[in-house]
Amino acid sequence: MHIAWDSFTPGWSLAGGMLIGAAAALLILFNGRIAGISGIVAGLLEPRSGETGWRFSFVLGLLLAPLLYGAVTPLPPVHIDAGYPQIVLAGLLVGVGTRYGAGCTSGHGVCGLSRFSPRSAVATASFMAAGFASVYLLRHVAGF
């Protein structure tokens, strides 16, 4: 196994985690809403009166942030070791898991754990275990 030490960026990782935590805290403090991306996007697909503006702004911020960052500093190269069929299948599986788990990693892992939600602790442990098992099976057993 090779570890890319030049990609090890604990300072930037900490700063990013703090920004995510601050954004989640501000959203719940000022809007009373959980920063779960799947729930926010689902609310855009089934709009309710007074709910569209903040949801659209949140998603727009998620999409614009990397572009703004890229305008200031060079973005790292992106390399995905998968073809389009694998990416589509993975996206569908994540979507199905999000519906069955009643939320995504941001909703359960960031917001739910910070609120000491037992359901979110189980969901996050399940997400992580499924991810570990998938990588092990695909990389080490199936050889992808």
Side-chain angles (χ1 to χ4, degrees), residues 24 39 41 71 92 119 124:
V41 172
L92 290 172
R119 185 179 83 153
T124 303

Side-chain angles (χ1 to χ4, degrees), residues 5-26:
W5 289 106
D6 57 333
S7 297
F8 179 66
T9 57
W12 286 112
S13 301
L14 178 63
M18 290 172 65
L19 284 172
I20 290 169
L26 290 172

Side-chain angles (χ1 to χ4, degrees), residues 38 97-104 108 119:
S38 63
T98 297
R99 296 300 289 175
Y100 278 121
C104 58
H108 285 298
R119 185 179 83 153

Side-chain angles (χ1 to χ4, degrees), residues 28-75:
I28 201 163
L29 285 173
F30 291 112
N31 208 8
R33 303 292 184 187
I34 300 295
I37 307 308
S38 63
I40 292 171
V41 172
L44 285 173
L45 299 176
E46 299 173 9
R48 287 191 220 145
S49 178
E51 290 285 311
T52 308
W54 75 267
R55 290 175 190 272
F56 179 77
S57 298
F58 194 94
V59 172
L60 185 63
L62 289 175
L63 297 173
L64 289 180
L67 299 175
L68 293 174
Y69 182 78
V72 176
T73 186
L75 294 173

Side-chain angles (χ1 to χ4, degrees), residues 116-141:
F116 301 109
S117 165
R119 185 179 83 153
S120 289
V122 170
T124 303
S126 299
F127 297 154
M128 297 302 293
F132 295 154
S134 297
V135 169
Y136 179 78
L137 291 172
L138 289 173
R139 296 279 169 130
H140 301 290
V141 176

